Amino acid sequence: MINVEDVPGLKRDLQMVNMHMEHLCRSNNRYIQEMLNWVLRQRGKQIRPILTLLCARLKGRAADATEIAAVVELCHTASLIHDDVIDEADTRRGQLSVQKKFGKEMAIYAGDYIIFSAIQKNELRNRSRYGRVFGKLEAMFDGEINQFVYRYNTEITEEIYLENIRGKTSALFCIACEAGACAGKCDENEMLAVEQFAEKFGLMFQLRDDLLDFVSTEELSKKTIHNDFWCGYYTLPVIHAFSDADNGARLKEIAGNIKNGLQDEDTDKRITELIRGSNGFQYTLTEIDRYASEAKRSLAVFPGSAARKKLLNLVDSLQASAHGTV
Amino acid sequence: MINVEDVPGLKRDLQMVNMHMEHLCRSNNRYIQEMLNWVLRQRGKQIRPILTLLCARLKGRAADATEIAAVVELCHTASLIHDDVIDEADTRRGQLSVQKKFGKEMAIYAGDYIIFSAIQKNELRNRSRYGRVFGKLEAMFDGEINQFVYRYNTEITEEIYLENIRGKTSALFCIACEAGACAGKCDENEMLAVEQFAEKFGLMFQLRDDLLDFVSTEELSKKTIHNDFWCGYYTLPVIHAFSDADNGARLKEIAGNIKNGLQDEDTDKRITELIRGSNGFQYTLTEIDRYASEAKRSLAVFPGSAARKKLLNLVDSLQASAHGTV
C-alpha cells in the first residue's frame, strides 16, 4: 500500500508511534495488560498514523507528530473493540476479536481503558492543570476489572475486596476531591490530606452501599437491590459470612446454586439470614465507622474551614444512615 | 444528606455544575441527545460534585471548580452506564437504566460519547493545541449511532448512507490528517485543504471496504467478511441494488429473511449475484474513483511536497486494489 522506506524518516517515526502506543497502553493490572498486548500484537495497516505522519510533512520539514498519531490510532482501536462487541464479530486484524477472546464485558472495559488512557496520559498529563488528578482513572479501571475477574469466586478475601473497591470507588472520589482542592490552590501537603480523606470516604461510601444492597428497599435506594450477590459480586458482609464455619458453607452453597441457575423463592431471605447469623452486617458497620473516623481525621490540616465542617457532617450523615438500617 | 443551602454559594455552584453537564452533553444527533436527556433527567445525589465544590473551599475562598466537577461527574455517569450493560441492571437512579431503555448497543455508545465529549469539550478544547482536531470525535459517534439506527432498514438512501460514513469513517481520518497538519504548522487555508482531502479519502476508503466485504476473501482482508449484509448494515453496493426494480425486490426479500433468522447455504452467493446483476459493484467503483480524484485534487495547495506525492500514491494504490477485485 505504502512503502514506509520510501519517505526519509517515516519508518523511524512509525516505530516511535508504536512505542508511544505501547507506552500509552501500559497497565499494572495483568488482565488489562493481557488484553492490551493482544490488541497491540496485530497492528493492522496503520493507515491513520501513516496519514498523520505524512500530513506533518506537507510543508517540507517533518514535525514530530508521533505522539498525537498514537493517540488517534488508539481512539480508532478502542472504537473497533466496542464495534466488535456490538456486532458480535469474531475476527479482527487476522486474529480473534477482543470480545471473542476475552468476553464482551472485558471488551467494554478494554475499550474504555484505552480511550481514557490515551487521552489522559498524553494530553491531560502534559498540558492541563488537572492532569495529575485524572491519572487515578487508571486505578478505577483496575478495581472494576478485578471486581469482574473475582465474580462468582467464593474464595475472594477481605483484602482483595478492599483493594478492588479502593480502585472502583475511592479512585473517582479522589479525582473529585483533588480536582476541587487543586482549584482551591491547596499545597502539596494539603493535597495529600484531601487524597487521604477521599480514599477513606470512598471505602466507607462503598461499604455502606454494599450494606444497603441487602438491608434497604428499592424505593429508598432508587436502584435494583439484592443484586450484588445474584450477579456474583461478593461484598464485605458476604465475605465476612463466608469465613464463618457453618453459615459460610451454607452461603457458599447458595452462591453455587445461583451461579448454576438453581434458585427458589426464599433464596433472598435465606441469604440475609445467613449473613446476619454470622455477624456480616455488624462487622461491615464496624468497618464503616473505622473508615469514617479515618476520613474525618485526615481533614485536621484545615482547622478553621467551614467547608471542612460540611465534609465532616456529610461523613456523619452517611454513617448514621448506615446504622439506621441494621 | 447535605443541605446545599447551608454553605454560601454552594447551591449556585451546583446549578453551574448542572449547566456545564448539560452543555457537555449536547449533541446534534437526536438519538444521542435523547439518551443524554434521559441520563441527565435523574441526577442522583451528586455527591461527587458536592465533594469537589467543598474541597475547592477548604482554604476559605471558594475557587471555581464547577467545570471540572461536571467533567468528573460525567466520567462517573459514563462508567455507571457501561456497568449497567455488563451487569444487565434494569434500574438506575429510580428510572430504567440506559441499557434497559435504549438497548445494550446504544448504552455502549452513550457511555463512550459522554467520556469523549466530557474530556474533549472541556479539557482539550480549552487547553491543548489539538483541541480543535478532536472536536470531530462527535461526528464519529454521530455516524456510528446513525449507522446502528438504520440497521436492517432497507429504505436507507444513498444520501443517508454517505452522511453516516462521512461521520463513522471520515471524521477519524480528518482527525488523523489534521493532527499531522497541525503539528506540521499548516496555515488555516492549508488546514482546510487537508480536511477536504481527509474527508474524501475517508469516503473512498469506506466504499472500498464495503466493496471488499463482498468480493474479497477472509485471508486477504484479515477479518470476518460477508458480514455487513448479515448484520443489517446495508452499504453502497446493496443500496444501489435495492433501487433496481427486479433485483432490488429480491435482495430486500433476502434481507427480510436474514432479519427473521431464515437463511440457507446459498444465500451469500445469491446476494452477490443480485448486487452484480444490478451493477452495485460497478457503481461503487465509479464513486470510489470520483472521491479518489477529489481527494487528490484537494492537495494541490502543496505543489512541491514529497509527502503529498506519497499521499497521492496511497490513494492510487487503494483505488487500484478496489478495481482489482471486481
Side-chain angles (χ1 to χ4, degrees):
Chain A
M1 194 166 286
I2 208 163
N3 186 354
V4 292
E5 312 269 3
D6 270 6
V7 182
L10 187 59
K11 195 182 171 185
R12 195 205 52 219
D13 276 6
L14 207 55
Q15 282 164 347
M16 280 298 289
V17 172
N18 286 322
M19 272 183 52
H20 286 307
M21 281 176 61
E22 275 165 35
H23 177 74
L24 294 169
C25 284
R26 218 170 268 162
S27 166
N28 292 323
N29 184 295
R30 71 183 175 93
Y31 303 100
I32 301 182
Q33 193 60 59
E34 204 188 326
M35 288 193 286
L36 297 175
N37 290 345
W38 184 256
V39 171
L40 291 182
R41 229 176 64 154
Q42 289 294 343
R43 300 226 151 93
K45 298 178 292 288
Q46 300 210 288
I47 196 156
R48 286 164 196 78
I50 289 174
L51 285 173
T52 305
L53 297 173
L54 286 176
C55 286
R57 286 166 161 80
L58 279 170
K59 303 262 279 185
R61 228 178 105 263
D64 185 12
T66 57
E67 242 188 309
I68 195 71
V71 172
V72 176
E73 181 69 355
L74 286 175
C75 288
H76 173 58
T77 305
S79 143
L80 293 181
I81 292 172
H82 282 179
D83 282 350
D84 287 346
V85 174
I86 289 168
D87 298 342
E88 305 189 348
D90 293 344
T91 340
R92 172 67 70 182
R93 290 177 179 167
Q95 62 179 16
L96 288 183
S97 63
V98 177
Q99 73 96 8
K100 185 72 183 173
K101 188 167 169 67
F102 301 93
K104 287 189 170 196
E105 297 87 352
M106 289 298 256
I108 295 177
Y109 287 132
D112 287 354
Y113 181 83
I114 291 174
I115 298 170
F116 268 130
S117 174
I119 296 188
Q120 166 259 319
K121 282 195 189 151
N122 185 65
E123 286 303 306
L124 295 182
R125 187 141 72 195
N126 293 344
R127 294 178 187 93
S128 147
R129 62 184 169 137
Y130 296 114
R132 160 191 164 157
V133 166
F134 276 95
K136 286 234 170 57
L137 280 174
E138 177 158 355
M140 192 181 91
F141 279 97
D142 219 34
E144 283 193 339
I145 286 184
N146 271 346
Q147 172 185 266
F148 187 76
V149 166
Y150 275 95
R151 210 170 169 180
Y152 294 114
N153 185 343
T154 55
E155 302 305 312
I156 184 172
T157 63
E158 192 176 328
E159 260 178 338
I160 290 172
Y161 176 71
L162 287 175
E163 196 50 41
N164 290 353
I165 66 170
R166 195 170 273 124
K168 192 191 73 150
T169 309
S170 286
L172 201 64
F173 277 116
C174 286
I175 294 174
C177 291
E178 290 178 53
C182 181
K185 306 253 185 285
C186 284
D187 65 27
E188 196 61 29
N189 200 33
E190 292 161 335
M191 284 293 278
L192 279 175
V194 170
E195 188 182 355
Q196 275 296 310
F197 167 77
E199 194 203 322
K200 307 300 181 186
F201 182 91
L203 291 172
M204 178 206 62
F205 185 88
Q206 187 58 55
L207 293 181
R208 177 181 167 275
D209 217 48
D210 295 347
L211 195 64
L212 294 186
D213 188 64
F214 289 104
V215 298
S216 181
T217 61
E218 302 250 334
E219 212 179 354
L220 264 174
S221 71
K222 293 192 179 168
K223 62 181 174 181
T224 314
I225 65 158
H226 292 194
N227 207 32
D228 293 344
F229 195 88
W230 290 84
C231 283
Y233 297 121
Y234 305 135
T235 57
L236 194 58
V238 174
I239 293 168
H240 188 77
F242 278 163
S243 70
D244 181 286
D246 189 30
N247 292 308
R250 284 153 72 194
L251 194 58
K252 282 184 187 180
E253 201 188 318
I254 296 178
N257 287 341
I258 288 178
K259 193 184 170 188
N260 297 320
L262 309 163
Q263 64 242 5
D264 57 49
E265 277 177 26
D266 287 337
T267 306
D268 258 335
K269 218 178 123 211
R270 282 201 296 143
I271 294 169
T272 312
E273 280 167 9
L274 289 170
I275 298 175
R276 202 176 298 281
S278 48
N279 274 325
F281 298 133
Q282 203 51 52
Y283 177 73
T284 305
L285 265 188
T286 319
E287 290 299 287
I288 288 174
D289 290 346
R290 190 162 67 83
Y291 290 122
S293 305
E294 290 180 17
K296 290 192 277 187
R297 212 177 308 134
S298 318
L299 295 181
V301 292
F302 305 100
S305 158
R308 169 180 171 248
K309 220 169 142 185
K310 283 291 145 198
L311 289 169
L312 300 182
N313 289 350
L314 182 60
V315 174
D316 286 337
S317 72
L318 287 168
Q319 207 179 345
S321 68
H323 277 269
T325 57
V326 177
Chain B
M1 192 167 286
I2 208 162
N3 186 353
V4 293
E5 314 268 3
D6 271 6
V7 182
L10 187 59
K11 194 181 170 188
R12 194 206 52 219
D13 276 7
L14 207 54
Q15 283 166 345
M16 280 297 290
V17 172
N18 286 324
M19 271 184 53
H20 285 308
M21 281 176 61
E22 274 164 36
H23 176 75
L24 294 170
C25 284
R26 217 168 269 162
S27 167
N28 293 322
N29 184 297
R30 70 181 176 97
Y31 302 100
I32 301 182
Q33 193 60 58
E34 203 188 327
M35 288 194 286
L36 297 175
N37 290 345
W38 184 254
V39 171
L40 291 182
R41 230 175 64 152
Q42 288 295 341
R43 300 226 150 93
K45 298 177 294 286
Q46 300 210 292
I47 197 156
R48 286 163 197 79
I50 288 173
L51 284 173
T52 305
L53 297 173
L54 286 176
C55 286
R57 287 166 160 79
L58 279 170
K59 304 262 278 181
R61 228 178 104 262
D64 184 14
T66 57
E67 241 189 309
I68 194 73
V71 172
V72 177
E73 181 70 356
L74 286 176
C75 287
H76 173 59
T77 305
S79 145
L80 293 181
I81 292 172
H82 282 178
D83 282 350
D84 287 345
V85 174
I86 288 168
D87 298 341
E88 305 188 348
D90 293 346
T91 341
R92 172 67 70 182
R93 291 177 178 167
Q95 62 179 16
L96 288 183
S97 63
V98 178
Q99 73 97 10
K100 186 72 184 174
K101 187 164 170 71
F102 301 94
K104 288 189 170 197
E105 297 87 353
M106 289 298 256
I108 295 177
Y109 287 132
D112 287 355
Y113 181 83
I114 292 173
I115 298 170
F116 268 131
S117 173
I119 297 188
Q120 165 259 320
K121 282 196 190 147
N122 184 64
E123 286 304 304
L124 295 181
R125 187 140 70 193
N126 293 343
R127 294 178 188 92
S128 146
R129 63 183 168 137
Y130 296 115
R132 160 190 164 158
V133 166
F134 276 94
K136 286 234 170 61
L137 280 174
E138 176 158 355
M140 192 180 90
F141 279 97
D142 219 35
E144 283 193 338
I145 287 184
N146 271 346
Q147 171 184 267
F148 188 75
V149 166
Y150 275 95
R151 213 170 167 181
Y152 294 114
N153 185 342
T154 55
E155 303 305 310
I156 184 172
T157 63
E158 191 175 329
E159 258 177 341
I160 291 173
Y161 175 71
L162 287 176
E163 196 50 40
N164 289 354
I165 66 170
R166 195 170 273 125
K168 190 190 74 148
T169 309
S170 286
L172 202 64
F173 276 116
C174 285
I175 294 173
C177 291
E178 290 178 53
C182 180
K185 307 251 185 285
C186 284
D187 65 28
E188 197 59 30
N189 200 32
E190 291 161 336
M191 284 294 278
L192 279 175
V194 169
E195 189 182 354
Q196 275 296 310
F197 166 77
E199 195 204 321
K200 306 302 182 187
F201 183 92
L203 291 172
M204 177 205 66
F205 185 88
Q206 187 58 54
L207 293 181
R208 176 181 168 276
D209 219 48
D210 295 345
L211 195 64
L212 294 186
D213 188 65
F214 288 104
V215 297
S216 181
T217 61
E218 301 250 333
E219 214 181 351
L220 264 175
S221 72
K222 293 191 178 168
K223 63 179 174 182
T224 315
I225 64 158
H226 292 195
N227 208 33
D228 292 344
F229 195 88
W230 289 83
C231 284
Y233 297 121
Y234 306 134
T235 56
L236 193 58
V238 174
I239 294 168
H240 187 78
F242 278 163
S243 70
D244 181 286
D246 188 32
N247 292 307
R250 284 152 73 194
L251 194 58
K252 282 184 187 180
E253 200 187 320
I254 296 178
N257 287 341
I258 289 178
K259 195 185 170 188
N260 297 321
L262 308 163
Q263 64 241 8
D264 57 50
E265 278 176 26
D266 286 338
T267 306
D268 259 334
K269 219 179 123 211
R270 281 200 296 144
I271 294 169
T272 313
E273 280 166 9
L274 289 170
I275 298 175
R276 201 177 298 280
S278 48
N279 274 324
F281 298 133
Q282 203 51 51
Y283 177 73
T284 306
L285 265 188
T286 317
E287 289 301 286
I288 289 174
D289 290 346
R290 189 162 68 84
Y291 290 122
S293 304
E294 289 180 18
K296 291 193 277 187
R297 212 177 308 133
S298 318
L299 295 181
V301 291
F302 305 100
S305 158
R308 168 181 172 247
K309 219 170 144 184
K310 284 291 146 195
L311 289 169
L312 301 182
N313 289 349
L314 182 60
V315 175
D316 286 338
S317 72
L318 286 168
Q319 205 180 347
S321 69
H323 278 269
T325 57
V326 177

